[in-house]
PDB file of all heavy atoms in Angstrom:
ATOM      1  N   LYS S   1      41.087 -15.562-100.514  1.00  0.00           N
ATOM      2  CA  LYS S   1      41.859 -14.257-100.316  1.00  0.00           C
ATOM      3  C   LYS S   1      43.294 -14.454-100.167  1.00  0.00           C
ATOM      4  O   LYS S   1      44.175 -13.668-100.541  1.00  0.00           O
ATOM      5  CB  LYS S   1      41.389 -13.525 -99.053  1.00  0.00           C
ATOM      6  CG  LYS S   1      39.947 -12.872 -99.313  1.00  0.00           C
ATOM      7  CD  LYS S   1      39.616 -11.968 -98.037  1.00  0.00           C
ATOM      8  CE  LYS S   1      38.294 -11.324 -98.186  1.00  0.00           C
ATOM      9  NZ  LYS S   1      37.889 -10.521 -96.996  1.00  0.00           N
ATOM     10  N   GLY S   2      43.718 -15.656 -99.643  1.00  0.00           N
ATOM     11  CA  GLY S   2      45.060 -15.962 -99.407  1.00  0.00           C
ATOM     12  C   GLY S   2      45.569 -15.572 -97.996  1.00  0.00           C
ATOM     13  O   GLY S   2      44.726 -15.289 -97.161  1.00  0.00           O
ATOM     14  N   LYS S   3      46.835 -15.397 -97.802  1.00  0.00           N
ATOM     15  CA  LYS S   3      47.358 -15.023 -96.495  1.00  0.00           C
ATOM     16  C   LYS S   3      47.005 -13.523 -96.215  1.00  0.00           C
ATOM     17  O   LYS S   3      47.328 -12.680 -97.048  1.00  0.00           O
ATOM     18  CB  LYS S   3      48.853 -15.206 -96.406  1.00  0.00           C
ATOM     19  CG  LYS S   3      49.426 -15.031 -95.098  1.00  0.00           C
ATOM     20  CD  LYS S   3      50.907 -15.270 -95.014  1.00  0.00           C
ATOM     21  CE  LYS S   3      51.676 -14.123 -95.650  1.00  0.00           C
ATOM     22  NZ  LYS S   3      53.133 -14.154 -95.313  1.00  0.00           N
ATOM     23  N   VAL S   4      46.317 -13.323 -95.126  1.00  0.00           N
ATOM     24  CA  VAL S   4      45.961 -11.891 -94.841  1.00  0.00           C
ATOM     25  C   VAL S   4      46.568 -11.363 -93.637  1.00  0.00           C
ATOM     26  O   VAL S   4      46.414 -10.181 -93.268  1.00  0.00           O
ATOM     27  CB  VAL S   4      44.366 -11.865 -94.673  1.00  0.00           C
ATOM     28  CG1 VAL S   4      43.700 -12.198 -95.922  1.00  0.00           C
ATOM     29  CG2 VAL S   4      43.879 -12.804 -93.504  1.00  0.00           C
ATOM     30  N   LEU S   5      47.286 -12.188 -92.857  1.00  0.00           N
ATOM     31  CA  LEU S   5      47.972 -11.709 -91.596  1.00  0.00           C
ATOM     32  C   LEU S   5      49.175 -12.535 -91.269  1.00  0.00           C
ATOM     33  O   LEU S   5      49.212 -13.742 -91.490  1.00  0.00           O
ATOM     34  CB  LEU S   5      46.922 -11.807 -90.361  1.00  0.00           C
ATOM     35  CG  LEU S   5      47.485 -11.360 -89.078  1.00  0.00           C
ATOM     36  CD1 LEU S   5      46.463 -10.541 -88.409  1.00  0.00           C
ATOM     37  CD2 LEU S   5      47.739 -12.560 -88.152  1.00  0.00           C
ATOM     38  N   ASP S   6      50.214 -11.802 -90.851  1.00  0.00           N
ATOM     39  CA  ASP S   6      51.432 -12.383 -90.401  1.00  0.00           C
ATOM     40  C   ASP S   6      52.085 -11.561 -89.344  1.00  0.00           C
ATOM     41  O   ASP S   6      52.740 -10.487 -89.717  1.00  0.00           O
ATOM     42  CB  ASP S   6      52.410 -12.499 -91.659  1.00  0.00           C
ATOM     43  CG  ASP S   6      53.758 -13.235 -91.235  1.00  0.00           C
ATOM     44  OD1 ASP S   6      53.880 -13.450 -90.109  1.00  0.00           O
ATOM     45  OD2 ASP S   6      54.596 -13.527 -92.094  1.00  0.00           O
ATOM     46  N   GLU S   7      51.803 -11.796 -88.071  1.00  0.00           N
ATOM     47  CA  GLU S   7      52.264 -10.988 -86.994  1.00  0.00           C
ATOM     48  C   GLU S   7      52.947 -11.798 -85.914  1.00  0.00           C
ATOM     49  O   GLU S   7      52.698 -12.992 -85.776  1.00  0.00           O
ATOM     50  CB  GLU S   7      51.069 -10.114 -86.363  1.00  0.00           C
ATOM     51  CG  GLU S   7      50.416  -9.230 -87.448  1.00  0.00           C
ATOM     52  CD  GLU S   7      50.202  -7.804 -86.909  1.00  0.00           C
ATOM     53  OE1 GLU S   7      50.719  -7.538 -85.775  1.00  0.00           O
ATOM     54  OE2 GLU S   7      49.488  -7.005 -87.600  1.00  0.00           O
ATOM     55  N   ALA S   8      53.656 -11.118 -85.042  1.00  0.00           N
ATOM     56  CA  ALA S   8      54.350 -11.836 -83.905  1.00  0.00           C
ATOM     57  C   ALA S   8      53.345 -12.357 -82.949  1.00  0.00           C
ATOM     58  O   ALA S   8      52.233 -11.801 -82.717  1.00  0.00           O
ATOM     59  CB  ALA S   8      55.268 -10.829 -83.189  1.00  0.00           C
ATOM     60  N   SER S   9      53.618 -13.554 -82.428  1.00  0.00           N
ATOM     61  CA  SER S   9      52.740 -14.179 -81.427  1.00  0.00           C
ATOM     62  C   SER S   9      53.101 -13.637 -80.044  1.00  0.00           C
ATOM     63  O   SER S   9      53.603 -14.330 -79.153  1.00  0.00           O
ATOM     64  CB  SER S   9      52.866 -15.732 -81.500  1.00  0.00           C
ATOM     65  OG  SER S   9      52.594 -16.228 -82.702  1.00  0.00           O
ATOM     66  N   VAL S  10      52.855 -12.389 -79.895  1.00  0.00           N
ATOM     67  CA  VAL S  10      53.087 -11.731 -78.698  1.00  0.00           C
ATOM     68  C   VAL S  10      51.943 -10.820 -78.169  1.00  0.00           C
ATOM     69  O   VAL S  10      51.162 -10.347 -79.044  1.00  0.00           O
ATOM     70  CB  VAL S  10      54.333 -10.773 -78.779  1.00  0.00           C
ATOM     71  CG1 VAL S  10      54.669 -10.054 -77.411  1.00  0.00           C
ATOM     72  CG2 VAL S  10      55.536 -11.457 -79.311  1.00  0.00           C
ATOM     73  N   ILE S  11      51.684 -10.827 -76.948  1.00  0.00           N
ATOM     74  CA  ILE S  11      50.538  -9.911 -76.440  1.00  0.00           C
ATOM     75  C   ILE S  11      51.089  -9.200 -75.196  1.00  0.00           C
ATOM     76  O   ILE S  11      51.801  -9.814 -74.362  1.00  0.00           O
ATOM     77  CB  ILE S  11      49.315 -10.899 -76.037  1.00  0.00           C
ATOM     78  CG1 ILE S  11      48.103 -10.033 -75.590  1.00  0.00           C
ATOM     79  CG2 ILE S  11      49.712 -11.905 -74.925  1.00  0.00           C
ATOM     80  CD1 ILE S  11      46.838 -10.862 -75.540  1.00  0.00           C
ATOM     81  N   THR S  12      50.650  -7.920 -75.118  1.00  0.00           N
ATOM     82  CA  THR S  12      50.970  -7.089 -73.942  1.00  0.00           C
ATOM     83  C   THR S  12      49.766  -6.774 -73.137  1.00  0.00           C
ATOM     84  O   THR S  12      48.802  -6.391 -73.670  1.00  0.00           O
ATOM     85  CB  THR S  12      51.628  -5.696 -74.475  1.00  0.00           C
ATOM     86  OG1 THR S  12      52.746  -6.002 -75.270  1.00  0.00           O
ATOM     87  CG2 THR S  12      52.117  -4.933 -73.320  1.00  0.00           C
ATOM     88  N   TYR S  13      49.958  -6.945 -71.760  1.00  0.00           N
ATOM     89  CA  TYR S  13      48.698  -6.842 -70.952  1.00  0.00           C
ATOM     90  C   TYR S  13      49.070  -6.369 -69.569  1.00  0.00           C
ATOM     91  O   TYR S  13      50.274  -6.493 -69.169  1.00  0.00           O
ATOM     92  CB  TYR S  13      48.025  -8.266 -70.837  1.00  0.00           C
ATOM     93  CG  TYR S  13      48.845  -9.311 -70.190  1.00  0.00           C
ATOM     94  CD1 TYR S  13      48.641  -9.649 -68.852  1.00  0.00           C
ATOM     95  CD2 TYR S  13      49.877 -10.030 -70.888  1.00  0.00           C
ATOM     96  CE1 TYR S  13      49.414 -10.599 -68.207  1.00  0.00           C
ATOM     97  CE2 TYR S  13      50.625 -10.996 -70.286  1.00  0.00           C
ATOM     98  CZ  TYR S  13      50.342 -11.313 -68.919  1.00  0.00           C
ATOM     99  OH  TYR S  13      51.158 -12.255 -68.311  1.00  0.00           O
ATOM    100  N   ASP S  14      48.051  -5.961 -68.836  1.00  0.00           N
ATOM    101  CA  ASP S  14      48.189  -5.580 -67.436  1.00  0.00           C
ATOM    102  C   ASP S  14      48.232  -6.736 -66.554  1.00  0.00           C
ATOM    103  O   ASP S  14      47.278  -7.598 -66.606  1.00  0.00           O
ATOM    104  CB  ASP S  14      47.106  -4.591 -67.105  1.00  0.00           C
ATOM    105  CG  ASP S  14      47.275  -3.886 -65.672  1.00  0.00           C
ATOM    106  OD1 ASP S  14      47.326  -4.719 -64.705  1.00  0.00           O
ATOM    107  OD2 ASP S  14      47.397  -2.757 -65.554  1.00  0.00           O
ATOM    108  N   ALA S  15      49.270  -6.956 -65.714  1.00  0.00           N
ATOM    109  CA  ALA S  15      49.448  -8.139 -64.988  1.00  0.00           C
ATOM    110  C   ALA S  15      48.291  -8.259 -63.909  1.00  0.00           C
ATOM    111  O   ALA S  15      48.041  -9.364 -63.456  1.00  0.00           O
ATOM    112  CB  ALA S  15      50.770  -8.123 -64.233  1.00  0.00           C
ATOM    113  N   ASP S  16      47.699  -7.175 -63.409  1.00  0.00           N
ATOM    114  CA  ASP S  16      46.731  -7.186 -62.374  1.00  0.00           C
ATOM    115  C   ASP S  16      45.291  -7.303 -62.973  1.00  0.00           C
ATOM    116  O   ASP S  16      44.541  -8.260 -62.530  1.00  0.00           O
ATOM    117  CB  ASP S  16      46.735  -5.948 -61.557  1.00  0.00           C
ATOM    118  CG  ASP S  16      48.152  -5.910 -60.739  1.00  0.00           C
ATOM    119  OD1 ASP S  16      48.550  -6.915 -60.403  1.00  0.00           O
ATOM    120  OD2 ASP S  16      48.653  -4.734 -60.662  1.00  0.00           O
ATOM    121  N   THR S  17      44.967  -6.522 -63.895  1.00  0.00           N
ATOM    122  CA  THR S  17      43.582  -6.528 -64.460  1.00  0.00           C
ATOM    123  C   THR S  17      43.414  -7.318 -65.742  1.00  0.00           C
ATOM    124  O   THR S  17      42.323  -7.590 -66.111  1.00  0.00           O
ATOM    125  CB  THR S  17      43.168  -5.040 -64.823  1.00  0.00           C
ATOM    126  OG1 THR S  17      44.018  -4.547 -66.005  1.00  0.00           O
ATOM    127  CG2 THR S  17      43.409  -4.122 -63.628  1.00  0.00           C
ATOM    128  N   ARG S  18      44.537  -7.814 -66.283  1.00  0.00           N
ATOM    129  CA  ARG S  18      44.544  -8.603 -67.520  1.00  0.00           C
ATOM    130  C   ARG S  18      44.018  -7.795 -68.701  1.00  0.00           C
ATOM    131  O   ARG S  18      43.686  -8.405 -69.772  1.00  0.00           O
ATOM    132  CB  ARG S  18      43.763  -9.879 -67.372  1.00  0.00           C
ATOM    133  CG  ARG S  18      44.066 -10.725 -66.119  1.00  0.00           C
ATOM    134  CD  ARG S  18      45.469 -11.280 -66.259  1.00  0.00           C
ATOM    135  NE  ARG S  18      45.523 -12.470 -67.111  1.00  0.00           N
ATOM    136  CZ  ARG S  18      46.555 -13.294 -67.244  1.00  0.00           C
ATOM    137  NH1 ARG S  18      47.715 -12.988 -66.533  1.00  0.00           N
ATOM    138  NH2 ARG S  18      46.574 -14.300 -68.045  1.00  0.00           N
ATOM    139  N   GLU S  19      44.039  -6.525 -68.675  1.00  0.00           N
ATOM    140  CA  GLU S  19      43.595  -5.681 -69.702  1.00  0.00           C
ATOM    141  C   GLU S  19      44.664  -5.775 -70.843  1.00  0.00           C
ATOM    142  O   GLU S  19      45.810  -5.688 -70.513  1.00  0.00           O
ATOM    143  CB  GLU S  19      43.417  -4.216 -69.270  1.00  0.00           C
ATOM    144  CG  GLU S  19      42.987  -3.293 -70.398  1.00  0.00           C
ATOM    145  CD  GLU S  19      43.067  -1.803 -70.007  1.00  0.00           C
ATOM    146  OE1 GLU S  19      43.226  -1.547 -68.739  1.00  0.00           O
ATOM    147  OE2 GLU S  19      42.883  -0.920 -70.857  1.00  0.00           O
ATOM    148  N   ILE S  20      44.148  -5.931 -72.072  1.00  0.00           N
ATOM    149  CA  ILE S  20      45.086  -6.031 -73.201  1.00  0.00           C
ATOM    150  C   ILE S  20      45.495  -4.713 -73.747  1.00  0.00           C
ATOM    151  O   ILE S  20      44.609  -3.864 -74.073  1.00  0.00           O
ATOM    152  CB  ILE S  20      44.424  -6.938 -74.384  1.00  0.00           C
ATOM    153  CG1 ILE S  20      43.945  -8.249 -73.830  1.00  0.00           C
ATOM    154  CG2 ILE S  20      45.382  -7.165 -75.468  1.00  0.00           C
ATOM    155  CD1 ILE S  20      44.974  -9.097 -73.190  1.00  0.00           C
ATOM    156  N   PHE S  21      46.756  -4.438 -74.035  1.00  0.00           N
ATOM    157  CA  PHE S  21      47.260  -3.225 -74.530  1.00  0.00           C
ATOM    158  C   PHE S  21      47.619  -3.338 -75.996  1.00  0.00           C
ATOM    159  O   PHE S  21      47.332  -2.393 -76.792  1.00  0.00           O
ATOM    160  CB  PHE S  21      48.473  -2.718 -73.767  1.00  0.00           C
ATOM    161  CG  PHE S  21      48.153  -2.230 -72.371  1.00  0.00           C
ATOM    162  CD1 PHE S  21      48.384  -3.016 -71.274  1.00  0.00           C
ATOM    163  CD2 PHE S  21      47.585  -0.927 -72.186  1.00  0.00           C
ATOM    164  CE1 PHE S  21      48.033  -2.547 -69.926  1.00  0.00           C
ATOM    165  CE2 PHE S  21      47.255  -0.477 -70.921  1.00  0.00           C
ATOM    166  CZ  PHE S  21      47.453  -1.275 -69.799  1.00  0.00           C
ATOM    167  N   ALA S  22      48.222  -4.447 -76.376  1.00  0.00           N
ATOM    168  CA  ALA S  22      48.669  -4.544 -77.806  1.00  0.00           C
ATOM    169  C   ALA S  22      48.887  -6.052 -78.064  1.00  0.00           C
ATOM    170  O   ALA S  22      49.101  -6.875 -77.192  1.00  0.00           O
ATOM    171  CB  ALA S  22      49.937  -3.807 -78.062  1.00  0.00           C
ATOM    172  N   VAL S  23      48.781  -6.399 -79.405  1.00  0.00           N
ATOM    173  CA  VAL S  23      49.054  -7.762 -79.843  1.00  0.00           C
ATOM    174  C   VAL S  23      49.948  -7.695 -81.149  1.00  0.00           C
ATOM    175  O   VAL S  23      49.943  -6.581 -81.739  1.00  0.00           O
ATOM    176  CB  VAL S  23      47.749  -8.581 -80.092  1.00  0.00           C
ATOM    177  CG1 VAL S  23      46.936  -8.740 -78.797  1.00  0.00           C
ATOM    178  CG2 VAL S  23      46.940  -7.841 -81.143  1.00  0.00           C
ATOM    179  N   GLY S  24      50.441  -8.780 -81.480  1.00  0.00           N
ATOM    180  CA  GLY S  24      51.214  -8.870 -82.731  1.00  0.00           C
ATOM    181  C   GLY S  24      52.542  -8.090 -82.722  1.00  0.00           C
ATOM    182  O   GLY S  24      53.190  -7.980 -81.705  1.00  0.00           O
ATOM    183  N   ASP S  25      52.855  -7.504 -83.894  1.00  0.00           N
ATOM    184  CA  ASP S  25      54.096  -6.787 -84.018  1.00  0.00           C
ATOM    185  C   ASP S  25      54.197  -5.551 -83.099  1.00  0.00           C
ATOM    186  O   ASP S  25      55.288  -5.261 -82.585  1.00  0.00           O
ATOM    187  CB  ASP S  25      54.237  -6.288 -85.514  1.00  0.00           C
ATOM    188  CG  ASP S  25      54.475  -7.467 -86.435  1.00  0.00           C
ATOM    189  OD1 ASP S  25      54.892  -8.560 -85.998  1.00  0.00           O
ATOM    190  OD2 ASP S  25      54.213  -7.238 -87.678  1.00  0.00           O
ATOM    191  N   GLU S  26      53.100  -4.971 -82.855  1.00  0.00           N
ATOM    192  CA  GLU S  26      53.177  -3.777 -81.892  1.00  0.00           C
ATOM    193  C   GLU S  26      53.487  -4.244 -80.502  1.00  0.00           C
ATOM    194  O   GLU S  26      54.316  -3.598 -79.866  1.00  0.00           O
ATOM    195  CB  GLU S  26      51.731  -3.161 -81.850  1.00  0.00           C
ATOM    196  CG  GLU S  26      51.580  -1.962 -81.012  1.00  0.00           C
ATOM    197  CD  GLU S  26      50.244  -1.271 -80.939  1.00  0.00           C
ATOM    198  OE1 GLU S  26      49.332  -1.808 -81.689  1.00  0.00           O
ATOM    199  OE2 GLU S  26      50.040  -0.391 -80.178  1.00  0.00           O
ATOM    200  N   ALA S  27      53.025  -5.374 -80.054  1.00  0.00           N
ATOM    201  CA  ALA S  27      53.403  -5.941 -78.764  1.00  0.00           C
ATOM    202  C   ALA S  27      54.841  -6.461 -78.767  1.00  0.00           C
ATOM    203  O   ALA S  27      55.557  -6.273 -77.734  1.00  0.00           O
ATOM    204  CB  ALA S  27      52.419  -7.040 -78.425  1.00  0.00           C
ATOM    205  N   TYR S  28      55.258  -7.009 -79.895  1.00  0.00           N
ATOM    206  CA  TYR S  28      56.648  -7.493 -79.971  1.00  0.00           C
ATOM    207  C   TYR S  28      57.651  -6.337 -79.748  1.00  0.00           C
ATOM    208  O   TYR S  28      58.729  -6.543 -79.093  1.00  0.00           O
ATOM    209  CB  TYR S  28      56.864  -8.108 -81.399  1.00  0.00           C
ATOM    210  CG  TYR S  28      58.277  -8.636 -81.551  1.00  0.00           C
ATOM    211  CD1 TYR S  28      58.739  -9.820 -81.156  1.00  0.00           C
ATOM    212  CD2 TYR S  28      59.191  -7.827 -82.300  1.00  0.00           C
ATOM    213  CE1 TYR S  28      59.934 -10.301 -81.411  1.00  0.00           C
ATOM    214  CE2 TYR S  28      60.533  -8.288 -82.569  1.00  0.00           C
ATOM    215  CZ  TYR S  28      60.905  -9.482 -82.033  1.00  0.00           C
ATOM    216  OH  TYR S  28      62.199  -9.914 -82.253  1.00  0.00           O
ATOM    217  N   ALA S  29      57.345  -5.191 -80.237  1.00  0.00           N
ATOM    218  CA  ALA S  29      58.186  -4.014 -80.130  1.00  0.00           C
ATOM    219  C   ALA S  29      58.348  -3.599 -78.631  1.00  0.00           C
ATOM    220  O   ALA S  29      59.314  -2.790 -78.334  1.00  0.00           O
ATOM    221  CB  ALA S  29      57.766  -2.839 -81.002  1.00  0.00           C
ATOM    222  N   MET S  30      57.436  -4.026 -77.846  1.00  0.00           N
ATOM    223  CA  MET S  30      57.426  -3.586 -76.409  1.00  0.00           C
ATOM    224  C   MET S  30      58.127  -4.584 -75.561  1.00  0.00           C
ATOM    225  O   MET S  30      58.236  -4.325 -74.296  1.00  0.00           O
ATOM    226  CB  MET S  30      55.972  -3.541 -75.916  1.00  0.00           C
ATOM    227  CG  MET S  30      55.022  -2.526 -76.668  1.00  0.00           C
ATOM    228  SD  MET S  30      53.314  -2.542 -75.972  1.00  0.00           S
ATOM    229  CE  MET S  30      52.579  -1.398 -77.086  1.00  0.00           C
ATOM    230  N   ILE S  31      58.582  -5.729 -76.059  1.00  0.00           N
ATOM    231  CA  ILE S  31      59.296  -6.687 -75.146  1.00  0.00           C
ATOM    232  C   ILE S  31      60.457  -6.045 -74.547  1.00  0.00           C
ATOM    233  O   ILE S  31      61.348  -5.463 -75.200  1.00  0.00           O
ATOM    234  CB  ILE S  31      59.650  -7.950 -75.992  1.00  0.00           C
ATOM    235  CG1 ILE S  31      58.426  -8.749 -76.438  1.00  0.00           C
ATOM    236  CG2 ILE S  31      60.555  -8.858 -75.229  1.00  0.00           C
ATOM    237  CD1 ILE S  31      58.753  -9.847 -77.292  1.00  0.00           C
ATOM    238  N   GLY S  32      60.620  -6.112 -73.169  1.00  0.00           N
ATOM    239  CA  GLY S  32      61.751  -5.641 -72.526  1.00  0.00           C
ATOM    240  C   GLY S  32      61.696  -4.163 -72.310  1.00  0.00           C
ATOM    241  O   GLY S  32      62.588  -3.556 -71.664  1.00  0.00           O
ATOM    242  N   LYS S  33      60.578  -3.472 -72.745  1.00  0.00           N
ATOM    243  CA  LYS S  33      60.446  -2.006 -72.585  1.00  0.00           C
ATOM    244  C   LYS S  33      59.218  -1.607 -71.864  1.00  0.00           C
ATOM    245  O   LYS S  33      58.952  -0.446 -71.794  1.00  0.00           O
ATOM    246  CB  LYS S  33      60.445  -1.417 -74.032  1.00  0.00           C
ATOM    247  CG  LYS S  33      61.619  -1.747 -74.922  1.00  0.00           C
ATOM    248  CD  LYS S  33      61.423  -1.120 -76.262  1.00  0.00           C
ATOM    249  CE  LYS S  33      62.688  -1.485 -77.141  1.00  0.00           C
ATOM    250  NZ  LYS S  33      62.558  -0.927 -78.458  1.00  0.00           N
ATOM    251  N   THR S  34      58.527  -2.619 -71.244  1.00  0.00           N
ATOM    252  CA  THR S  34      57.233  -2.264 -70.547  1.00  0.00           C
ATOM    253  C   THR S  34      57.497  -1.699 -69.197  1.00  0.00           C
ATOM    254  O   THR S  34      58.471  -2.069 -68.504  1.00  0.00           O
ATOM    255  CB  THR S  34      56.315  -3.528 -70.510  1.00  0.00           C
ATOM    256  OG1 THR S  34      57.053  -4.545 -69.834  1.00  0.00           O
ATOM    257  CG2 THR S  34      55.869  -3.896 -71.865  1.00  0.00           C
TER     258      THR S  34
END
């Protein structure tokens, strides 16, 4: 198939529960804005 994914190595999560909110480019856009 070739290259199927290219996203930022970023993950957004809850510091207490460790629940994941977003990963990749979506999480990258949240840096400094959470």
Side-chain angles (χ1 to χ4, degrees):
K1 288 186 178 180
K3 188 179 76 168
V4 296
L5 180 134
D6 183 354
E7 299 228 9
S9 298
V10 183
I11 186 167
T12 304
Y13 64 99
D14 188 296
D16 297 322
T17 66
R18 308 294 281 188
E19 178 188 355
I20 308 301
F21 288 101
V23 296
D25 292 339
E26 184 182 354
Y28 178 83
M30 300 179 184
I31 293 178
K33 302 177 182 180
T34 55

